[in-house]
Amino acid sequence: MLRAVIRNARILDGRAFIGMGLLGLAFSLGATPDVTRVLVFLISLALYVAYAFAINNCFDADTDSINPRKREKNPIASGELSFRAGVASSLAMALLGLMLASNLGTGELVVYASMILLATVYSAPPRLKARPVADVLSHGIFFGALPFLYGAHLDGSVTAEEWSIAAAVFLYSLALELRNHL
């Protein structure tokens, strides 16, 4: 079952979104970065991306089960992992990530909680994913701007330059989502 839970997280599929958080982190690193904070950030970022993909697999299982390519990537759709176990393991990832983010500070926790909330309502009812404009816009926020801002805020603030880059990352994430639709 552990193998199925790990496959459900689809962490390699989320490498571009991890990259957006790492880009934000690059703006937060000073001359002497706090290695412990960076490590907590990295683990929580990976947990967030894993959560977003895992919860999406849970609620896409019915449609993924009829598409051979998608069924292969979704252990719930293939029957390797139950829906209940998928949701439980997804929630465990989200809660662990929230606990880690809370150790970084209030600002980081607010950004992280916002990412979790948007990733959840994107995939689970009311499924923003099923609403054409909301789909692309929410994707740009929870898999683009917010991961960048999560990393950028690690130093305790977000500069005007970082907000501008967050806007560009938002647009890039929109483009990635539109590519997925095509």
Side-chain angles (χ1 to χ4, degrees), residues 11-24:
I11 200 70
L12 291 179
D13 289 346
R15 62 189 177 275
F17 310 114
I18 291 172
M20 291 177 196
L22 293 176
L23 179 62

Side-chain angles (χ1 to χ4, degrees), residues 6 12 26 43 51 54-55 58 66 69 74 80-81 97 111 123 133 147 162 172:
I6 292 168
L12 291 179
I43 294 168
Y51 167 76
I55 199 70
C58 292
I66 58 176
R69 198 182 100 232
N74 185 336
E80 187 180 349
L81 186 67
V111 174
S123 296
V133 175
E162 291 167 340
Y172 179 65

Side-chain angles (χ1 to χ4, degrees), residues 99-131:
M99 287 183 349
L100 290 170
S102 72
N103 289 316
L104 296 174
T106 304
E108 291 86 346
L109 178 59
V110 168
V111 174
Y112 199 89
S114 299
M115 293 189 310
I116 293 291
L117 177 66
L118 273 174
T120 302
V121 297
Y122 177 81
S123 296
R127 288 185 63 87
L128 295 178
K129 181 179 188 168
R131 301 165 195 241

Side-chain angles (χ1 to χ4, degrees), residues 164-180:
S164 297
I165 295 168
V169 170
F170 166 77
L171 294 174
Y172 179 65
S173 184
L174 290 179
L176 290 176
E177 181 62 2
L178 289 171
R179 181 199 66 188
N180 286 343

